[in-house]
C-alpha cells in the first residue's frame, strides 16, 4: 500500500496540471475543474490501493474527475444546460492520450495569457493553474497579500467566463499577435524563480523548471524562432544555478562562480535550441539575449569572456528593445569592454528614468563600476542605496559585504 501511495504522489506531481487542463476543457469551468481534480485524486487514494494503479493514470483521473464534476453540476440542478459534458461509461482511455492532454495544456496556457486579461492577472493565473502553486505561494512570489491575490484570480476567471474567452490555441493568423504575450508570461515566471523578488533564497528551482517545461511544450507544439530563443535563454541561465550561491546560501557573482559547477547538459541543450532560433528570421529579442548568455557559457573563465561581442549584441538588442533595463545591462557590457568610466557615463544618462532610479541593480552596477575605478566613496554611497532597495536576503548580504570591504580598504588606506 505504501508503494501505491508513493506512486500516487508521483503521479500528482507529474500529471496534476495536465489533468486539470483537460478537465477545464471538458467541464468548461476553472473552479469546477479544480474541485473535480481534487476529488479524482481523493478517489484514487481510496481505489488504487485496492484495485491497483491503472495503466494510464492520467486518463483514469480525467474520467473520474469529469464524472465528479458532472455530479456536482447535477447537484446544482443545472444538468440540462451541460448535457454536452456527459460521456458514456465505455469512453476509451486512449481518448485522453498524451497528445490530447498536451494540446489541452497549450489551450490552458493561451487562455491564462489572453490579452483580455491584465498582465498581473495573466501571471497570477499562470502560476496558479499552469504551475500548480497555491494562492499563498503565488501571493508570496508576486509580493501581494493572499486575500488580494485570491480576488485577482477570481476576477480573472470571471472575466474568462463572462467575456467568453475561448479555450483554444490561436489560429495561424492570430498567433503573431498572441505569442509575445505568452512568452513574456513564461519569462516572468522564470525570472521570479531565477532571481526571487524577496525572501532568503537566490533560486526557486520549481518555478524555473516549470517555465522551462512550458517553453519546451510550446517549442515542440508551435515551432517558432522566438520560442526557441526563449527556451535557449532560460536553459543557458538555468545551467548556472548550482554556482550562483555558496554553501551558506550567499550570492556568488558571475566573475567568482566555479564554472565546473555549471550544468553542461543544460548548456548543450540551450546551444541546440539557439541554433534553431538563429535559423529563423528576423532574430528576436529573446534570441539575442540567448546569444549573450551563450558567450558567457562558452568562456572557460571570466577573463576569457568576449566582452566585445557581448557589447555588440547588447547594441543590437537595445535597438530592438530600447528599455531602461536593457540600457543598464548594455552599459555594464560597455564598461567591461571599454573601462568603468565609459559604463558610468552611460549609467548617468539613465539617472532620469523613473523605471530605473528605484531599481536596486542600477545602483549596484554604479557601485561596482565606481569600485573598479577606485572611487570608493561614490561606490559606498551607491552600495548603500542598492542595499536599501534590495528585498532578497542573499543580495542584501552580498551588498553589505561589499560595503564592509570598502570600509576595510578605506581603513587600510588611512592607516599610518
Amino acid at each position: 500500500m505504501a508503494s501505491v501511495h508513493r506512486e500516487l504522489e508521483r503521479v500528482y506531481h507529474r500529471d496534476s496540471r495536465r489533468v486539470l487542463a483537460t478537465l477545464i476543457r471538458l467541464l468548461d469551468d476553472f473552479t469546477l475543474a479544480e474541485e473535480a481534480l481534487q476529488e479524482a485524486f481523493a478517489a484514487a487514494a481510496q481505489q488504487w490501493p485496492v484495485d491497483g494503479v491503472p495503466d494510464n493514470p492520467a486518463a483514469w483521473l480525467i474520467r473520474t474527475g469529469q464524472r465528479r464534476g458532472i455530479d456536482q453540476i447535477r447537484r446544482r440542478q443545472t444538468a440540462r444546460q451541460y448535457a454536452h459534458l456527459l460521456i458514456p461509461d465505455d469512453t476509451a482511455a486512449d481518448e485522453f492520450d498524451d497528445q490530447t492532454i498536451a494540446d489541452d495544456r497549450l489551450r490552458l496556457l493561451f487562455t491564462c495569457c489572453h490579452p483580455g486579461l491584465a498582465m498581473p492577472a495573466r501571471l497570477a493565473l499562470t502560476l496558479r493553474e499552469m504551475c500548480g502553486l497555491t494562492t499563498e505561494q503565488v501571493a508570496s512570489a508576486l509580493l501581494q497579500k493572499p486575500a488580494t491575490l485570491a480576488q485577482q484570480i477570481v476576477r480573472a476567471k470571471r472575466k474568462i467566463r463572462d467575456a467568453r474567452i475561448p479555450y483554444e490555441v490561436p489560429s495561424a493568423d492570430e498567433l503573431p499577435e498572441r505569442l509575445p504575450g505568452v512568452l513574456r508570461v513564461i519569462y516572468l515566471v522564470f525570472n521570479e524563480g531565477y532571481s526571487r523578488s524577496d525572501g532568503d533564497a537566490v533560486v526557486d528551482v520549481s518555478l524555473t523548471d516549470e517555465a522551462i517545461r512550458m517553453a519546451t511544450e510550446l517549442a515542440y507544439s508551435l515551432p517558432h524562432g522566438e520560442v526557441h530563443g526563449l527556451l535557449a535563454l532560460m536553459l543557458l541561465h538555468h545551467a548556472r544555478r548550482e554556482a550562483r550561491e555558496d554553501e551558506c546560501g550567499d550570492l556568488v557573482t558571475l566573475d567568482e562562480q566555479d564554472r565546473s559547477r555549471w550544468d553542461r547538459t543544460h548548456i548543450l541543450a540551450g546551444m541546440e535550441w539557439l541554433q534553431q532560433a538563429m535559423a529563423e528570421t528576423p532574430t528576436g529579442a529573446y534570441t539575442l539575449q540567448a546569444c549573450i548568455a551563450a558567450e558567457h557559457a562558452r568562456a572557460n573563465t571570466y577573463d576569457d569572456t568576449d566582452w566585445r561581442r557581448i557589447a555588440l549584441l547588447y547594441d543590437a538588442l537595445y535597438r530592438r528593445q530600447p528599455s531602461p533595463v536593457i540600457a543598464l545591462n548594455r552599459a555594464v557590457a560597455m564598461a567591461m569592454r571599454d573601462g568603468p568610466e565609459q559604463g558610468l557615463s552611460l549609467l548617468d544618462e539613465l539617472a532620469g528614468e523613473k523605471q530605473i532610479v528605484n531599481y536596486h541593480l542600477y545602483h549596484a552596477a554604479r557601485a561596482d563600476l565606481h569600485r573598479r575605478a577606485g572611487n570608493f566613496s561614490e561606490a559606498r554611497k551607491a552600495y548603500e542605496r542598492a542595499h536599501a532597495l534590495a528585498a532578497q536576503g542573499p543580495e542584501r548580504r552580498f551588498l553589505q559585504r561589499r560595503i564592509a570591504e570598502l570600509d576595510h580598504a578605506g581603513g587600510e588606506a588611512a592607516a599610518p
Side-chain angles (χ1 to χ4, degrees):
M1 183 176 291
S3 63
V4 173
H5 284 299
R6 284 195 298 272
E7 176 63 14
L8 181 59
E9 185 175 348
R10 189 179 72 85
V11 169
Y12 183 85
H13 288 296
R14 185 192 66 197
D15 292 333
S16 64
R17 296 301 101 187
R18 301 166 66 231
V19 171
L20 177 64
T22 297
L23 287 175
I24 292 172
R25 172 173 61 83
L26 295 171
L27 298 172
D28 197 28
D29 185 299
F30 273 82
T31 302
L32 181 59
E34 289 168 354
E35 293 170 357
L37 174 72
Q38 296 306 317
E39 290 194 21
F41 273 98
Q46 291 183 332
Q47 291 182 232
W48 291 6
V50 177
D51 301 336
V53 178
D55 293 336
N56 189 335
W60 189 97
L61 290 162
I62 291 168
R63 286 168 56 84
T64 302
Q66 185 180 20
R67 291 195 177 97
R68 296 300 172 95
I70 291 170
D71 287 344
Q72 284 206 40
I73 294 170
R74 285 170 172 158
R75 286 196 292 271
R76 297 170 188 171
Q77 299 182 338
T78 57
R80 282 178 296 179
Q81 297 177 31
Y82 293 88
H84 66 286
L85 302 177
L86 304 180
I87 57 171
D89 290 341
D90 60 352
T91 301
D94 60 7
E95 288 189 18
F96 303 126
D97 59 17
D98 287 343
Q99 186 56 54
T100 299
I101 294 173
D103 290 344
D104 285 333
R105 287 265 306 168
L106 204 58
R107 292 186 185 98
L108 179 56
L109 179 60
F110 275 95
T111 301
C112 290
C113 299
H114 194 275
L117 304 173
M119 181 54 72
R122 296 184 220 174
L123 182 56
L125 201 58
T126 300
L127 288 167
R128 181 71 184 86
E129 307 301 332
M130 294 292 300
C131 303
L133 271 64
T134 65
T135 300
E136 291 73 18
Q137 288 171 325
V138 177
S140 175
L142 301 183
L143 307 181
Q144 293 187 31
K145 294 179 180 179
T148 302
L149 192 282
Q151 285 301 310
Q152 187 179 64
I153 291 175
V154 167
R155 286 194 297 270
K157 292 177 180 177
R158 188 182 300 131
K159 176 70 176 289
I160 289 171
R161 183 196 66 203
D162 294 346
R164 304 304 301 165
I165 289 175
Y167 190 71
E168 63 185 19
V169 177
S171 66
D173 291 340
E174 297 174 305
L175 199 58
E177 181 182 352
R178 294 283 306 280
L179 188 59
V182 172
L183 297 183
R184 184 181 174 199
V185 170
I186 292 175
Y187 197 35
L188 286 171
V189 172
F190 178 82
N191 279 335
E192 185 54 44
Y194 186 72
S195 185
R196 297 297 308 271
S197 300
D198 69 348
D200 206 44
V202 176
V203 179
D204 183 337
V205 175
S206 64
L207 287 184
T208 54
D209 283 346
E210 187 62 33
I212 288 170
R213 188 166 69 82
M214 285 190 286
T216 302
E217 291 179 0
L218 196 59
Y220 282 115
S221 301
L222 293 171
H224 183 280
E226 275 294 78
V227 178
H228 298 159
L230 176 59
L231 181 52
L233 172 63
M234 294 191 298
L235 285 167
L236 290 168
H237 279 314
H238 198 46
R240 307 177 202 158
R241 66 191 181 280
E242 296 297 333
R244 294 184 65 230
E245 58 184 331
D246 62 19
E247 61 278 2
C248 299
D250 286 336
L251 182 68
V252 180
T253 54
L254 183 61
D255 57 322
E256 296 178 342
Q257 287 178 15
D258 177 0
R259 298 188 177 214
S260 68
R261 299 183 65 193
W262 288 5
D263 189 322
R264 304 311 300 181
T265 301
H266 276 74
I267 289 174
L268 289 173
M271 293 295 193
E272 289 176 4
W273 284 111
L274 179 56
Q275 261 192 328
Q276 294 190 50
M278 293 296 289
E280 302 283 338
T281 54
T283 301
Y286 292 120
T287 301
L288 286 170
Q289 291 178 73
C291 289
I292 293 167
E295 288 302 319
H296 290 297
R298 290 189 183 101
N300 293 322
T301 67
Y302 187 75
D303 291 338
D304 292 335
T305 306
D306 189 346
W307 289 107
R308 183 193 63 81
R309 177 161 170 73
I310 289 176
L312 290 172
L313 287 166
Y314 268 118
D315 277 339
L317 179 60
Y318 186 71
R319 285 194 297 271
R320 177 172 288 276
Q321 190 174 309
S323 73
V325 174
I326 297 299
L328 166 60
N329 293 327
R330 175 176 171 266
V332 172
M334 297 293 183
M336 297 306 299
R337 185 188 67 180
D338 302 328
E341 291 80 6
Q342 174 64 20
L344 286 166
S345 176
L346 292 171
L347 289 179
D348 286 344
E349 294 175 9
L350 297 174
E353 294 280 355
K354 291 182 179 179
Q355 288 179 272
I356 210 80
V357 290
N358 290 320
Y359 184 39
H360 71 283
L361 292 181
Y362 168 73
H363 297 282
R366 288 189 74 251
D368 186 62
L369 294 184
H370 275 302
R371 180 180 64 86
R372 291 172 185 267
N375 307 324
F376 293 159
S377 176
E378 291 299 318
R380 194 186 199 287
K381 291 177 187 175
Y383 276 131
E384 287 177 343
R385 179 63 175 151
H387 183 268
L389 292 169
Q392 188 194 82
E395 285 187 327
R396 288 176 61 83
R397 293 195 298 272
F398 168 77
L399 293 165
Q400 190 60 57
R401 286 200 308 275
R402 281 286 195 246
I403 293 170
E405 289 168 3
L406 287 174
D407 288 346
H408 179 69
E412 286 187 342

